[in-house]
């Protein structure tokens, strides 16, 4: 029998922030004079700091990965399915850290922050950042927390790409890389989806070249459309069919013959888009999708991913989902093959699930089982 929710949740969590005064050189050639990272922690760091795990979030995620911000909150953190007592990232054993990526809009320095050089909001003037930039910024967070080496760096989707970049750029600073529902680079189709989303935002009259904050307006329609498009790609056809089919909002009469909501799936997408606008910044969405586009560790090795991964020392756990057409199993296979080509240690699981890309967020039993088994191995390795 499943444990009560309060026994498997980390409970009420207080977010934290840390400011770094040391300038950060970015891949774009620009330099941030300093920056703040918002983060949360779950569990307790042990005496030798060997049980720390860094969780990296996906495109629209943030540092709130588990638990609640107040007792009456209904929706927990985005990876509640996997973080907490008795879950794969067991907080009775591990000290789990999740930070809002640099460029985010939930407490870390980004487009909604004040530019110290002008005294105004960065807005569209915030520099583009890359996954490598995030790794550099998070390494300083590790130093701040007293973590010389993560037991694992883990994430799904864009978070899995960060885990891969950590293994490449900071091999001595992580024991294991956990890469879930990710890819070694975006396909042309994925870049195309991102571009359509960006154009939806940029063509909104209220976008104002990204300087909308000065007028108090926001490109609500453009951001809503971008989110609706993105959400379609996160679900599988089977999941959408099972959840909505062709169900109509009003079954008491025939078609209304207009462009108002007729079908339940239309209502769902509009709700997802409208609620997203209230919690996310348009400039940040542009920035995050571009960081996804730019991720390609093999670009520096003439397209040879095996060479790009040849310096990693951490064993990998790679997982994919059969119905994920955004980052399909074939993308994970490419990562696994590249690791095996240079005799790296890798465990791979392909999980049958009909949730689409969002499966990595769900409590899919087989997923939880294999993820927990791998994390049990790490726990035994570090002695917790």
């Amino acid at each position: 029998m499943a444990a009560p929710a309060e026994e498997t949740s980390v409970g009420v969590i207080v977010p934290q922030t840390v400011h770094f005064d040391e300038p950060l050189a970015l891949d774009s050639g620009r330099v941030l004079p300093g920056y703040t990272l918002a983060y949360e922690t779950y569990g307790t760091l042990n005496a030798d700091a060997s049980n720390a795990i860094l969780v990296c979030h996906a495109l629209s995620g943030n540092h709130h990965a588990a638990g609640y911000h107040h007792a009456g909150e209904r929706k927990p953190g985005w990876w509640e399915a996997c973080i907490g007592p008795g879950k794969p990232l067991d907080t009775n054993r591990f000290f789990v850290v999740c930070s809002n990526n640099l460029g985010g809009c939930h407490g870390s320095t980004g487009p909604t922050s004040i530019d110290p050089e002008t005294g105004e909001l960065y807005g569209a003037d915030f520099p583009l950042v890359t996954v490598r930039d995030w790794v550099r910024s998070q390494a300083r967070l590790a130093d701040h927390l007293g973590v010389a080496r993560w037991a694992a760096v883990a994430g799904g989707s864009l978070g899995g790409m960060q885990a891969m970049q950590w293994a490449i750029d900071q091999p001595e600073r992580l024991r294991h890389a956990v890469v879930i529902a990710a890819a070694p680079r975006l396909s042309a189709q994925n870049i195309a989806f991102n571009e359509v989303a960006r154009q939806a935002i940029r063509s909104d009259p209220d976008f104002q070249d990204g300087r909308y904050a000065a007028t108090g307006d926001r490109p609500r329609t453009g951001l809503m459309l971008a989110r609706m498009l993105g959400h379609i790609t996160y679900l599988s056809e089977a999941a959408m069919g099972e959840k909505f089919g062709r169900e109509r909002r009003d079954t008491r009469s025939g078609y209304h013959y207009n462009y108002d909501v007729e079908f339940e799936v239309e209502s769902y997408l509009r709700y997802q888009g409208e609620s997203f606008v209230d919690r996310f910044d348009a400039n940040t969405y542009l920035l995050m999708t571009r960081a996804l586009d730019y991720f390609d560790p093999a670009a520096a090795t003439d397209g040879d991913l095996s060479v790009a991964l040849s310096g990693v020392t951490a064993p990998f756990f790679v997982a994919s989902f059969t119905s994920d057409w955004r980052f399909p199993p074939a993308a994970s296979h490419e990562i696994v093959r590249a690791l095996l080509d240079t005799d790296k240690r890798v465990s791979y699981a392909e999980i049958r699930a009909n949730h689409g890309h969002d499966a990595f967020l769900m409590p899919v039993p087989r997923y939880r089982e294999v993820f927990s088994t791998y994390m049990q191995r790490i726990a035994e390795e570090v002695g917790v």
Side-chain angles (χ1 to χ4, degrees), residues 60-107:
S60 60
N62 56 34
H63 56 291
H64 185 41
Y68 302 84
H69 284 159
H70 56 81
E73 189 175 22
R74 294 180 60 189
K75 188 174 181 179
W78 58 267
W79 221 7
E80 179 76 7
C82 293
I83 300 174
K87 297 175 183 177
L89 301 179
D90 190 343
T91 49
N92 288 331
R93 292 180 159 188
F94 296 112
F95 175 69
V96 181
V97 180
C98 185
S99 68
N100 184 206
N101 286 342
L102 189 65
C105 55
H106 293 95

Side-chain angles (χ1 to χ4, degrees), residues 97-323:
V97 180
C98 185
S99 68
N100 184 206
N101 286 342
L102 189 65
C105 55
H106 293 95
S108 292
T109 298
T112 59
S113 305
I114 298 295
D115 182 347
E117 296 182 356
T118 66
E120 304 291 335
L121 290 177
Y122 274 108
D125 295 324
F126 192 81
L128 288 176
V129 293
T130 66
V131 174
R132 291 179 61 203
D133 294 329
W134 290 335
V135 170
R136 286 190 285 265
S137 69
Q138 292 162 347
R140 292 184 186 173
L141 175 61
D143 294 338
H144 169 74
L145 295 171
V147 177
R149 190 183 189 195
W150 300 105
V153 177
S157 191
L158 178 56
M161 295 174 175
Q162 291 177 67
M164 197 184 319
Q165 195 71 58
W166 260 94
I168 294 168
D169 291 352
Q170 307 274 347
E172 74 288 349
R173 299 207 65 172
L174 73 163
R175 289 180 178 270
H176 292 262
V178 176
V179 178
I180 301 171
R185 71 187 71 78
L186 289 196
S187 65
Q189 184 186 54
N190 272 307
I191 294 172
F193 282 126
N194 286 346
E195 174 60 6
V196 173
R198 286 192 293 267
Q199 289 305 316
I201 294 169
R202 291 171 61 84
S203 61
D204 187 319
D206 289 329
F207 181 64
Q208 303 173 75
D209 292 326
R211 291 172 173 79
Y212 46 84
T215 64
D217 294 321
R218 286 187 294 165
R220 295 185 63 91
T221 299
L223 184 57
M224 181 183 77
L225 291 174
R227 180 59 174 178
M228 289 170 70
L229 173 66
H231 206 76
I232 292 169
T233 71
Y234 303 149
L235 301 176
S236 69
E237 182 178 10
M240 293 186 78
E242 182 179 324
K243 189 169 186 177
F244 305 108
R246 289 181 53 86
E247 292 296 320
R248 294 175 48 232
R249 291 292 306 279
D250 183 1
T251 58
R252 296 169 299 179
S253 61
Y255 292 138
H256 296 156
Y257 296 100
N258 58 37
Y259 296 108
D260 292 335
V261 171
E262 291 266 18
F263 297 94
E264 288 289 355
V265 68
E266 294 175 311
S267 176
Y268 172 77
L269 288 174
R270 292 191 192 191
Y271 170 77
Q272 290 295 329
E274 289 166 359
S275 62
F276 186 70
V277 168
D278 294 328
R279 68 177 189 272
F280 214 82
D281 174 65
N283 279 318
T284 293
Y285 198 87
L286 297 178
L287 179 152
M288 294 291 175
T289 59
R290 210 39 155 173
L292 259 173
D293 292 349
Y294 287 155
F295 178 77
D296 183 7
T301 56
D302 295 324
D304 192 327
L305 186 61
S306 298
V307 176
L309 293 170
S310 62
V312 306
T313 57
F316 273 61
F317 171 70
V318 179
S320 66
F321 299 91
T322 53
S323 60

Side-chain angles (χ1 to χ4, degrees), residues 5-6 8-13 41-43 66-68 80 83-85 87 91:
E6 63 271 17
T8 61
S9 173
V10 296
V12 175
I13 297 296
T41 67
Y42 322 104
Y68 302 84
E80 179 76 7
I83 300 174
K87 297 175 183 177
T91 49

